[in-house]
């Protein structure tokens, strides 16, 4: 028998004709993360990894890979004969210490001479005879002995780790994540990745009003997201001229509304240029004045591209929970101001009128400014391993 890792797919297995499309991407994603260390095979029901040197490392990577429902370290037997299953099972449990157990059998090979119940019952009897002082507990066993009988061989495995679920990153195409240094947008990015959307990031900076440290924080957040997605491209837009023009010319209660309309316009252009089919951001209904439904309408109306807001309906505490779980929270709360916080007026409009936005925007030559910003974008490729910003974390 051979020690292997067995992967179960979860929601992916509901895909019918195009399941291979998804599985191929999952395989490629795993291969890229493992850097070709192992051999990966799959069929419609399971993916198998063999030739593994460091199990802990591989499992850690798989636990952060979307498209995986469950991870099992198990053993592939040479054939599916009952005698082989029985003798290999004895070898595997010989040194295992447990008092209660149950056997669960799955049989994808339907012509096998026994059905699943019969196999479980038979092997349960074998275990009871083989070990002293143990009993079957079907409700709360210390050890579950899983047996899978397939056409040419069988698997035995005991432990399972939960995967993240979702779809393999990239299987649903690409989206442009508006990534600020806050708590919400990295969580929004993570949730989009979970649905199979590969992300590129866009960050609007306004030097000298925003600091290098604020930008580095956004880079650090993008780097944390690479753990779930592979490398992330981050587009950095110099927003200073636009920000200053708005500040000088537009009535202050509309500063944020107009500023966000500009961000949306630039994001749409950038998304189209980079084959991103949607914009993703961290807006949450009601969180601030620019996220009332009327504000969202006024801001959203300047673009045609779909804007997906994965945290729109979550409470801040729910978002913080996810941020903690995915490892972005501690970085997000580092105290560097971004361009939104510097130019915040005392009384931002809560119910902006689109007609007024259009009127005010005539006061600045915004098309020229947008063109200029688009021509000066700097794009970074953020990889998972980089020590440059470790001092920030
Ligand atoms: P977060 O909402 O992520 O905690 P924030 O509170 O600074 O950060 P908001 O002002 O609530 O952000 O803006 C809502 C969303 O707009 C953000 O979640 C983000 O997607 C986007 N956004 C805001 N500022 C920027 C920026 N400087 N660059 C890129 N995207 C931004
Ligand atoms: Mg926010």
């Amino acid at each position: 028998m051979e020690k292997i890792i067995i992967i179960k797919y979860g929601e992916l297995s509901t895909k019918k004709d195009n399941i291979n499309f998804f599985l191929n991407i999952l395989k490629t994603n795993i291969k890229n993360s493992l850097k070709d260390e192992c051999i990966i095979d799959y069929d419609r029901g399971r993916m198998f990894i063999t030739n593994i040197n460091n199990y802990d490392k591989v499992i850690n990577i798989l636990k952060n890979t979307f498209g995986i429902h469950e991870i099992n370290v198990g053993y592939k037997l040479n054939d599916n004969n009952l005698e082989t299953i029985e003798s290999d099972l004895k070898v595997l449990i010989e040194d295992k210490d447990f008092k209660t157990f149950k056997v669960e059998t799955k049989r994808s090979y339907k012509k096998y001479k026994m059905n699943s119940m019969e196999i479980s019952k038979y092997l349960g009897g074998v275990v009871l005879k083989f070990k002293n002082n143990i009993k079957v507990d079907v409700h709360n066993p210390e050890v579950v002995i899983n047996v899978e009988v397939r056409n040419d061989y069988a698997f035995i495995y005991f432990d399972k780790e939960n995967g993240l679920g979702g779809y393999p990153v990239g299987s649903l195409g690409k989206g442009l994540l508006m990534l600020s240094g806050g708590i919400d947008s990295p969580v929004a990015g993570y949730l989009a990745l979970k649905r199979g959307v590969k992300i590129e990031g866009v960050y609007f900076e306004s030097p000298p009003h925003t600091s290098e440290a604020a930008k580095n924080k956004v880079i650090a957040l993008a780097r944390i997201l690479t753990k779930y997605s592979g490398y992330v491209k981050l587009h950095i837009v110099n927003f200073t001229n636009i920000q200053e023009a708005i500040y000088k010319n537009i009535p202050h209660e509309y500063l944020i509304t107009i500023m966000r309309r500009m961000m949306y316009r630039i994001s749409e252009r950038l998304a189209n240029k980079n084959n991103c089919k949607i914009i993703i951001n961290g807006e949450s209904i009601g969180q601030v004045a620019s996220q009332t439904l009327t504000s969202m309408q006024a801001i959203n109306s300047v673009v045609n591209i779909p804007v997906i807001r994965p945290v729109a309906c979550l409470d801040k505490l729910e978002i913080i929970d996810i941020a903690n779980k995915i490892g972005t929270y501690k970085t997000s709360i580092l105290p560097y101001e971004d361009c939104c916080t510097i130019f915040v007026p005392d009384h931002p409009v809560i119910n902006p009128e689109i007609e007024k936005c259009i009127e005010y925007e005539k006061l600045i030559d915004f098309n020229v400014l947008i063109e200029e910003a688009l021509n000066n974008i700097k794009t970074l490729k953020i990889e998972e391993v980089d020590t440059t910003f470790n001092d920030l974390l």
Side-chain angles (χ1 to χ4, degrees), residues 178-180 182-186 202-204 260 263 281-283 287-288 291 316 338-340:
M178 297 173 69
L179 185 59
S180 66
I183 297 166
D184 305 328
S185 49
V202 57
Y203 170 60
F204 297 87
R260 296 194 63 75
M263 283 186 180
N281 69 32
E283 289 171 353
Q287 196 184 80
V288 286
Q291 289 162 32
K316 194 75 187 187
D338 73 10
C339 54
C340 296

Side-chain angles (χ1 to χ4, degrees), residues 8-243:
K8 298 182 188 168
Y9 310 133
E11 188 175 334
L12 263 194
S13 44
T14 62
K15 299 283 168 213
K16 295 203 171 73
D17 295 342
N18 54 359
I19 188 166
N20 278 333
F21 165 79
F22 287 91
L23 295 181
N24 211 0
I25 293 178
L26 179 59
K27 179 181 168 176
T28 307
N29 289 352
I30 295 174
K31 223 175 154 78
N32 288 342
S33 312
L34 296 179
K35 315 258 182 295
D36 274 334
E37 246 175 63
C38 314
I39 297 170
I40 308 169
D41 273 318
Y42 66 83
D43 60 26
R44 291 182 70 86
R46 305 274 184 266
M47 197 166 279
F48 315 104
I49 307 187
T50 48
N51 211 25
I52 300 165
N53 289 324
N54 182 339
Y55 279 84
D56 288 343
K57 182 182 146 201
V58 172
I59 287 169
N60 269 333
I61 287 173
L62 296 176
K63 275 163 77 177
N64 290 329
T65 303
F66 288 115
I68 295 176
H69 173 64
E70 202 178 289
I71 305 151
N72 309 107
V73 177
Y75 298 84
K76 182 181 174 186
L77 315 193
N78 293 339
D79 56 56
N80 64 12
N81 294 333
L82 197 58
E83 300 75 45
T84 312
I85 300 176
E86 180 173 339
S87 61
D88 281 350
L89 178 58
K90 283 179 179 167
V91 173
L92 292 174
I93 60 173
E94 201 165 10
D95 297 325
K96 237 180 167 27
D97 199 19
F98 58 94
K99 293 274 169 280
T100 60
F101 77 101
K102 74 171 169 182
V103 181
E104 263 184 12
T105 305
K106 283 203 183 76
R107 196 185 49 136
S108 60
Y109 179 46
K110 297 294 177 200
K111 291 188 194 140
Y112 201 69
K113 59 184 175 183
M114 292 161 96
N115 69 26
S116 301
M117 283 290 280
E118 288 165 345
I119 301 169
S120 294
K121 228 170 158 178
Y122 176 79
L123 293 174
V126 168
V127 175
L128 285 171
K129 260 194 231 136
F130 184 66
K131 306 259 303 174
N132 295 326
N133 291 327
I134 60 166
K135 58 181 187 202
V136 173
D137 180 346
V138 288
H139 299 297
N140 198 15
E142 239 175 278
V143 167
V144 180
I145 299 171
N146 295 281
V147 177
E148 285 193 25
V149 180
R150 302 172 73 90
N151 284 16
D152 306 314
Y153 55 86
F155 291 122
I156 298 175
Y157 54 88
F158 304 96
D159 310 313
K160 66 170 189 187
E161 297 262 13
N162 290 327
L164 292 176
Y167 292 134
V169 171
S171 59
L172 270 293
K174 219 163 45 168
L176 183 67
L177 171 68
M178 297 173 69
L179 185 59
S180 66
I183 297 166
D184 305 328
S185 49
V187 171
Y190 171 88
L191 292 174
L193 288 168
K194 179 168 187 175
R195 298 312 290 169
V197 180
K198 172 109 184 130
I199 53 173
E200 293 193 7
V202 57
Y203 170 60
F204 297 87
E205 64 166 356
S206 299
H209 313 294
T210 60
S211 64
E212 194 70 9
K215 177 171 78 183
N216 287 345
K217 177 176 153 184
V218 174
I219 292 172
L221 287 169
R223 178 159 293 116
I224 296 170
L225 291 177
T226 64
K227 203 161 84 179
Y228 309 98
S229 75
Y231 75 86
V232 171
K233 267 193 191 171
L234 180 64
H235 307 281
I236 299 182
V237 179
N238 188 316
F239 205 54
T240 311
N241 290 344
I242 297 178
Q243 189 95 291

